[in-house]
Amino acid sequence: MDPLTLISMATTSFRGVQLLVEKGAEIEHVFRKLGTWYSFASDIREAEKEAENPPIFKKLFSSGTVEEEALNAIVAKRKLEQQEKEIRELIMYAYGAETYREMILMRREIKAKREKAIYMQRRKRRQWIDMVSIGVGCVVASLII
């Protein structure tokens, strides 16, 4: 997905977290909404990695320029950093530093599991599609020759 689309969805979740904290919502509600934000943040970081090593068809048929992709990635990264800083301040102010530290530890564990499960599967699928496409292209080229 496009980094700018992901950052707009992350911003919506971020505003929800802000609203919940400001209204003094239960920590469970805040963390549920925060989980949504962290999912988008993780997807944005993964999109940045994919932009560094795009699939073969994206390289060939990309509609945007390299500069445009780089600018979108930078904008998304900066916005994400700003939101993460504000979330840290909100959590520490409303629930304390210990809660924030505990949340960060849990986040690292969840991130490792997610990386292993979801993103590895996505990378394998992308590699498989690239290999099949190259194979089909070679067969078609050999038939033409």
Side-chain angles (χ1 to χ4, degrees):
M1 197 179 280
D2 176 37
L4 292 181
T5 305
L6 288 170
I7 198 66
S8 68
M9 291 189 290
T11 301
T12 303
S13 293
F14 172 73
R15 288 186 185 129
V17 169
Q18 279 183 319
L19 184 66
L20 288 171
V21 170
E22 288 171 3
K23 292 195 180 249
E26 293 292 321
I27 195 166
E28 295 87 16
H29 298 295
V30 173
F31 279 8
R32 194 174 310 134
K33 192 68 170 177
L34 193 57
T36 305
W37 182 84
Y38 275 118
S39 293
F40 289 127
S42 179
D43 290 343
I44 290 167
R45 289 185 181 105
E46 184 63 22
E48 287 175 17
K49 288 179 187 176
E50 287 178 6
E52 291 173 5
N53 188 16
I56 212 161
F57 286 110
K58 187 171 183 178
K59 288 179 187 176
L60 296 174
F61 303 113
S62 179
S63 61
T65 64
V66 174
E67 292 80 10
E68 181 183 6
E69 286 184 35
L71 184 61
N72 289 346
I74 295 269
V75 167
K77 184 177 181 179
R78 295 293 181 245
K79 185 76 170 176
L80 196 62
E81 288 171 353
Q82 174 197 5
Q83 289 177 356
E84 196 163 19
K85 180 182 174 189
E86 289 182 37
I87 283 174
R88 187 186 86 237
E89 292 170 0
L90 282 170
I91 300 291
M92 289 181 73
Y93 177 73
Y95 303 108
E98 185 60 35
T99 302
Y100 181 75
R101 279 191 286 272
E102 186 178 336
M103 182 190 72
I104 292 300
L105 290 175
M106 289 179 68
R107 176 182 159 205
R108 287 181 185 147
E109 292 173 12
I110 293 168
K111 181 181 177 185
K113 289 177 185 175
R114 182 177 180 155
E115 173 73 27
K116 190 174 185 179
I118 295 172
Y119 295 134
M120 291 301 289
Q121 181 182 9
R122 189 181 297 169
R123 286 184 192 125
K124 286 180 182 179
R125 186 177 340 130
R126 186 178 70 184
Q127 288 174 343
W128 186 81
I129 289 171
D130 286 348
M131 294 305 290
V132 168
S133 301
I134 290 170
V136 168
C138 288
V139 168
V140 168
S142 65
L143 288 175
I144 291 173
I145 293 174

